[in-house]
Amino acid sequence: MKENVVLPDSIQCRERFRQTFKEIPDDDLKQLFTQITVKDYKKGSIVYKEGTRIKGCYFVYSGIVKIFQTGKEGKEQIIKFEQEGDIFGFRSVIRQESACTSVETLSDSVLCHIPDFALLHLIKSNPDFAYDLMQIACKELGDSNKCIKDIAQKSVKARLAEILLLIANDFGLENDGSLKLNLTQEDLSNFVGTATETVIRLLSDYRTDGLVESKGRKIKLLNIEKLKKIAGY
Amino acid sequence: MKENVVLPDSIQCRERFRQTFKEIPDDDLKQLFTQITVKDYKKGSIVYKEGTRIKGCYFVYSGIVKIFQTGKEGKEQIIKFEQEGDIFGFRSVIRQESACTSVETLSDSVLCHIPDFALLHLIKSNPDFAYDLMQIACKELGDSNKCIKDIAQKSVKARLAEILLLIANDFGLENDGSLKLNLTQEDLSNFVGTATETVIRLLSDYRTDGLVESKGRKIKLLNIEKLKKIAGY
DNA sequence: CGTCAGATTGATCTGTGTCAAACCCAGTGG
DNA sequence: CCACTGGGTTTGACACAGATCAATCTGACG
């Protein structure tokens, strides 16, 4: 166990924040960041749970978090993963509602907590920021709509292929070509929206068809084109 | 065929618009509405198709429209229905992308077209409007996320019940207690995300269980509590 | 009264979920 | 250093919700 994780200072956080929100003047940013709390989370920590009242949103300084909803009998449906530079939880702030998702860290992570009043103030006072945030919300909205159609219409086989491609795209590859985002089969199946066993069987099918190489949770895509075809593009 | 449908004038449109966006000062609204085009659509008209470039968004002055995506083999997945006072298509404007959904009128409708530059201008110049719009986007986002979980996890039987309740809630009831929103079985099944035959069978199950009364597309909910239970609440 | 879209019912077929059992491997503690 | 443990992975057998296909029925409308 490492101790004494050194948290990034306010300036480092601001710099990273600026990479996502490019057009915010320094003054606004400085003001915002006096109100932010930086905290590190061990892998597997719960950041917040569905239904709780969060008094702000979060900015991912480093690490990866999983955003999910819990259904009957505790089965998770993973909505998305967020990584360095992403912001999440703003929906609840804007709507002034309790969280509609739960969040858990998939790796050791450093998150910046932006209190609701600070976020709302910036939105109301800086149209550029409001616009940037709206961009993000609208992107997520488009993704969600697509996701609805896919879950409703595509076979699990197609969706798994699609999600592998999406993960490769969003999180990139290791040097050896395997997916950087390293999920348990359970998380993978909860993302696809199916049973763990099904994912395992399908991956094994892909393997025999020479589409992927995989042992355990390490997955390498061998034939992107064919996978795209299976995914239905 | 009726002829000469009288279109609402600019003032009527503004008034209706103001019901949805309450805090916009008159000056801004007047300015906006000089740039708007009002048009009536016969029932069953396509407003725009997925993948096309729309140069603005729409405000529903009257009528009901269906927002959907088309999957492989032309099967539709209905995302939502919009009615009087709703605004749609803004996602594409904000993202400056082509439409990710198609829109068709379910009844004779009057829509106001708001050109992209006018919408963007108002967003950038009026933080209150930006905020209102963000509210709408975030509401839709929450709905979509919930929908993803439901489609992935619930049985079709549960989802059908849920959707009937949702329709009753969003669109209200006729005097005789039947749902105001009158869908074909096909639309209903495309909303639930299942086959038409399945919806028919399930409705018939509900009927024998005394949960609904239904002939053809007329549906009356008899036992809301039990339906909620089936829907999984 | 014919026509045609939509509604309905019945008879299969199959993709996935579920259950059960075994396996693998990393970390722990004796 | 090795057995023990437990979480995650894998495989097999089986059941069933829901899709698909085919046929008939209904009712609105020209």
Side-chain angles (χ1 to χ4, degrees):
Chain A
M1 291 290 125
K2 280 163 274 175
E3 313 241 333
N4 286 335
V5 181
V6 180
L7 291 177
D9 63 24
S10 178
I11 296 172
Q12 291 174 295
C13 291
R14 254 157 57 200
E15 282 314 309
R16 193 149 298 177
F17 194 79
R18 197 202 309 282
Q19 288 165 20
T20 307
F21 299 92
K22 297 195 198 300
E23 303 189 21
I24 317 303
D26 268 355
D27 284 352
D28 283 353
L29 268 194
K30 273 185 194 154
Q31 230 261 298
L32 180 68
F33 272 81
T34 58
Q35 305 178 299
I36 277 176
T37 318
V38 183
K39 200 175 150 197
D40 70 315
Y41 295 78
K42 288 269 147 244
K43 168 178 176 170
S45 315
I46 299 290
V47 181
Y48 59 78
K49 278 204 176 143
E50 198 173 338
T52 57
R53 210 58 202 264
I54 55 181
K55 352 97 336 315
C57 69
Y58 295 82
F59 173 74
V60 183
Y61 180 81
S62 66
I64 291 178
V65 306
K66 156 175 101 172
I67 316 277
F68 63 99
Q69 296 192 301
T70 312
K72 287 263 159 192
E73 280 106 57
K75 190 168 173 50
E76 293 179 4
Q77 175 62 42
I78 297 177
I79 306 291
K80 55 185 315 208
F81 299 97
E82 306 280 14
Q83 58 186 321
E84 196 174 307
D86 289 336
I87 187 171
F88 63 87
F90 61 86
R91 199 207 62 86
S92 309
V93 174
I94 309 255
R95 297 289 302 172
Q96 321 239 38
E97 291 170 356
S98 47
C100 69
T101 50
S102 303
V103 179
E104 181 185 331
T105 55
L106 283 195
S107 65
D108 292 352
S109 307
V110 175
L111 305 182
C112 307
H113 179 266
I114 305 172
D116 45 11
F117 58 84
L119 185 76
L120 290 173
H121 176 263
L122 191 52
I123 290 173
K124 292 274 190 175
S125 63
N126 186 329
D128 286 331
F129 178 72
Y131 185 70
D132 282 352
L133 197 55
M134 205 179 293
Q135 285 281 343
I136 294 174
C138 285
K139 164 141 189 6
E140 293 189 10
L141 196 49
D143 291 347
S144 286
N145 286 345
K146 179 169 178 349
C147 188
I148 290 172
K149 183 191 66 179
D150 286 346
I151 295 197
Q153 298 194 348
K154 286 186 178 177
S155 69
V156 174
K157 184 160 195 169
R159 272 207 332 281
L160 177 58
E162 185 172 10
I163 278 183
L164 291 177
L165 292 166
L166 178 141
I167 290 176
N169 198 51
D170 285 3
F171 294 86
L173 306 176
E174 301 286 0
N175 293 328
D176 66 355
S178 66
L179 298 183
K180 251 189 189 154
L181 181 61
N182 224 270
L183 298 176
T184 65
Q185 307 282 24
E186 193 179 357
D187 276 342
L188 189 49
S189 61
N190 286 340
F191 196 18
V192 175
T194 188
T196 321
E197 294 93 324
T198 305
V199 161
I200 289 169
R201 279 182 243 274
L202 289 175
L203 275 179
S204 146
D205 287 356
Y206 289 171
R207 222 180 300 128
T208 43
D209 295 347
L211 301 175
V212 307
E213 210 173 283
S214 78
K215 57 167 183 277
R217 63 185 68 177
K218 208 156 192 56
I219 300 175
K220 187 197 278 190
L221 311 187
L222 297 178
N223 190 337
I224 305 277
E225 286 316 310
K226 200 105 177 259
L227 280 171
K228 280 188 183 168
K229 212 162 199 174
I230 290 178
Y233 290 124
Chain B
M1 289 291 126
K2 280 162 273 173
E3 312 240 334
N4 287 335
V5 181
V6 180
L7 291 176
D9 63 25
S10 178
I11 296 173
Q12 290 174 296
C13 290
R14 253 157 57 199
E15 280 316 307
R16 193 150 298 176
F17 193 79
R18 196 201 310 282
Q19 288 168 19
T20 307
F21 298 92
K22 298 192 197 302
E23 304 188 21
I24 316 303
D26 267 355
D27 283 352
D28 282 354
L29 268 195
K30 273 184 195 155
Q31 231 260 299
L32 181 67
F33 273 81
T34 59
Q35 305 177 299
I36 277 175
T37 318
V38 183
K39 198 175 151 197
D40 70 314
Y41 294 78
K42 287 269 147 244
K43 168 177 176 170
S45 316
I46 299 290
V47 181
Y48 58 78
K49 277 202 177 145
E50 200 172 338
T52 56
R53 210 57 202 266
I54 53 180
K55 359 77 355 309
C57 70
Y58 294 83
F59 173 74
V60 183
Y61 179 82
S62 65
I64 291 177
V65 305
K66 158 174 100 172
I67 316 276
F68 62 99
Q69 297 192 301
T70 312
K72 286 264 163 191
E73 281 107 56
K75 191 168 172 49
E76 292 178 5
Q77 176 62 41
I78 297 178
I79 306 292
K80 56 185 315 208
F81 299 97
E82 306 280 13
Q83 58 187 320
E84 196 175 306
D86 288 336
I87 187 172
F88 64 87
F90 61 85
R91 198 208 60 87
S92 309
V93 174
I94 308 256
R95 297 291 301 171
Q96 321 239 37
E97 290 169 357
S98 47
C100 70
T101 50
S102 304
V103 179
E104 180 185 331
T105 54
L106 283 196
S107 64
D108 292 352
S109 307
V110 175
L111 305 181
C112 308
H113 179 265
I114 305 172
D116 46 11
F117 59 86
L119 184 77
L120 291 173
H121 176 263
L122 190 54
I123 290 173
K124 291 274 190 176
S125 63
N126 186 329
D128 286 331
F129 177 73
Y131 185 69
D132 282 351
L133 197 54
M134 204 178 292
Q135 285 279 344
I136 293 174
C138 285
K139 164 140 189 6
E140 292 188 10
L141 196 48
D143 291 346
S144 286
N145 286 346
K146 178 169 180 349
C147 187
I148 290 172
K149 184 192 65 181
D150 286 345
I151 295 198
Q153 297 194 350
K154 286 188 179 176
S155 68
V156 174
K157 183 160 195 170
R159 272 208 331 282
L160 177 58
E162 186 172 10
I163 278 184
L164 291 178
L165 292 166
L166 178 142
I167 290 176
N169 198 51
D170 284 3
F171 293 86
L173 306 175
E174 302 286 359
N175 293 329
D176 66 355
S178 66
L179 298 184
K180 251 190 189 151
L181 181 61
N182 223 272
L183 298 176
T184 64
Q185 306 285 20
E186 193 180 359
D187 276 342
L188 188 51
S189 61
N190 287 340
F191 196 18
V192 175
T194 188
T196 321
E197 294 94 325
T198 304
V199 163
I200 289 171
R201 280 182 242 274
L202 289 175
L203 274 179
S204 146
D205 287 356
Y206 290 172
R207 221 179 301 129
T208 44
D209 294 348
L211 301 175
V212 306
E213 210 174 281
S214 77
K215 58 166 183 277
R217 63 186 66 177
K218 206 154 192 58
I219 301 175
K220 188 198 275 188
L221 310 186
L222 297 178
N223 191 335
I224 305 278
E225 285 317 310
K226 200 107 177 256
L227 279 171
K228 280 188 184 168
K229 212 163 199 174
I230 290 178
Y233 290 124

